[in-house]
Amino acid sequence: MLKIPVTELFSSIQGEGPYVGARQIFLRLPKCNLNCPYCDTETIIPEKCRMESIPGSKDFRMLKNPIELNELIELLRSYDFSLHHSISITGGEPLLWADELQLLLPLIREYNLPVYLETNGTLPKQLDKILPFVDIISMDIKLPFGEKVFWNVHEDFLRKSLSKNVFLKIVVDEKAKLQDLQNARDLIANVDPSLLTILQPVTKINGIESPKPRQILDWQRLFLEKLKNVRVIPQTHVFMGQL
Ligand code: SF4
C-alpha cells in the first residue's frame, strides 16, 4: 500500500478566506515548492506526524512517517464527519503529493466529506491528477518575490480550477507594489471578473509588516475597479488561538 508523509491531522476552525469560522478537519502535508518570505509553516518532512488523538482536543500522539494510506483513513474515521464542513488538504504545498492524493481523496469522498484544497496555485499539471476529487479550491495568487514571478502558471492553474468552487487569496504586506497588485487583479479579471478575491493582510512575521489601514482600503478599491467581489479578511485563527 502506498504511503504518504503527513505533518499533522487535527480538527479546528478555518481561519482564512470565505469559509472562516467553518469547522474542518485539517490534513497538513509537508514540503513546498516555494519559499515565501512570510511563510509561517514548517515545511520539512517530520520524522513523526502529529495526530490529534481526540479530535479537537489538541492532544497529539506521534506516529512514524510516512504513513500508509489505509492507516490514515482509519485515523480519519475517528472524526465525526457530521461536525465538519469539509476536510482541508493543506501544507506546505499539498499538490507535491498529487500521486498519493489521487488514491487517498476518492477514499475520503466515500464519506461524503467535501474536499477543500489549499494551494499556492503554481502546479497545474499536478492539479490535473486530483481535480475530479476536489470540491473547493483556495488558490493563492503570489505576488512576485526575489526573482520569482508566477503570472503565467497562475493563469493556467486558475483556468483549470474554474470547473470547481474556486476563490483567490492574495497575501499583502505594507511593501506590496502597485504594479504587482494591478497585474494580479488583471490576471483574475481576464479569466473571470466575478471570481471571489480575498486580500489577506499578512500577519506580522520576520520583520514583514501588515499594510496600513489606508493602504488596504486603496488596494481594495483598485481591485474593485475590475473585479466584482473583493473582500479583505485577515488570518483570524491567530487571534482565536486556533491551530
Ligand atoms: S506557498 Fe505557503 S507553505 Fe509554501 S512557502 Fe509559501 S507560504 Fe509557505
Side-chain angles (χ1 to χ4, degrees), residues 227-241:
L227 303 178
K228 295 190 181 127
N229 197 355
V230 183
R231 299 186 213 163
V232 175
I233 307 177
Q235 283 188 311
T236 66
H237 52 286
V238 179
F239 58 79
M240 283 194 285

Side-chain angles (χ1 to χ4, degrees), residues 58-93:
K58 295 186 182 163
D59 181 20
F60 288 90
R61 66 190 162 119
M62 309 301 279
L63 298 180
K64 193 165 163 36
N65 249 337
I67 182 163
E68 283 196 3
L69 295 189
N70 274 349
E71 194 183 351
L72 186 52
I73 287 290
E74 276 313 302
L75 289 161
L76 268 172
R77 276 159 53 87
S78 69
Y79 285 75
D80 176 359
F81 294 146
S82 67
L83 182 70
H84 294 91
H85 169 273
S86 48
I87 179 166
S88 170
I89 310 294
T90 188
E93 174 46 55

Side-chain angles (χ1 to χ4, degrees), residues 32 34-36 38-39 41 43 91-92 120 142:
C32 189
L34 301 184
N35 187 19
C36 307
Y38 50 79
C39 185
T41 313
T43 56
N120 63 30
K142 297 287 184 192

Side-chain angles (χ1 to χ4, degrees), residues 8 20 74 82 134 138 142 145 187 205 214:
E8 52 188 358
V20 66
E74 276 313 302
S82 67
V134 171
S138 166
K142 297 287 184 192
F145 58 86
L187 183 159
I205 185 170
R214 183 56 198 258

